[in-house]
Amino acid sequence: MGRWLLRLGGYALLAIGGVLAVAPFYFMFVFATHQRSEIFGFPPPLWFGEHFWSNYQILLEKIPFWRAYWNNLYLAIMVTVTSLFFSSLAGFGFAMYEFRWRERLFGVVLATLLVPAILNLIPFYLLIYQIGLD
């Protein structure tokens, strides 16, 4: 009986976590179909509205949406391809060759993977500021 309740509690916790993970995407789609006054009203809308096409038209008029979309897609593809290429080279080198300091160098590579990417934001901003691209 106790094991069954523990399993049920675990599934309930996973279900709650799943709903919380999907909720921002759901509300993004719901809010995309409403006018601004409806979104910021109380209570906020919980179901889809009728203003999707007018909001889509406003989006395309205000910003170069498709150009920004292409730039993001291009950047994502290039980062993925170069990351896979260099990671494959490093993995091959560590797997196939015996060399001095191999274990320590592999430890350094693993340690750099533990550093969160957000920590690079401040040095990146300082670099952009110093070269005048801010």
Side-chain angles (χ1 to χ4, degrees), residues 53 84 109:
W53 292 114
L84 284 173
V109 170

Side-chain angles (χ1 to χ4, degrees), residues 2-5 7 9 20-22 26 31 46 50-51 55 61 63 73-74 80 83 98-99 101 110 118-119 128-129:
R3 190 174 200 154
W4 181 78
L5 281 175
R7 181 174 282 183
L20 289 176
V22 172
Y26 173 75
F31 290 166
L46 299 176
E50 298 87 27
H51 299 286
N55 290 344
E61 289 171 3
I63 62 170
L73 183 66
Y74 177 76
T80 302
S83 177
E98 294 287 334
F99 54 91
W101 307 100
L110 287 181
I118 196 70
L119 291 180
I128 295 298
Y129 180 76

Side-chain angles (χ1 to χ4, degrees), residues 28-50:
M28 177 180 64
F29 287 119
V30 168
F31 290 166
T33 62
H34 287 277
Q35 291 180 341
R36 184 181 300 226
S37 60
E38 296 170 348
I39 293 170
F40 292 112
F42 186 80
L46 299 176
W47 194 247
F48 299 100
E50 298 87 27

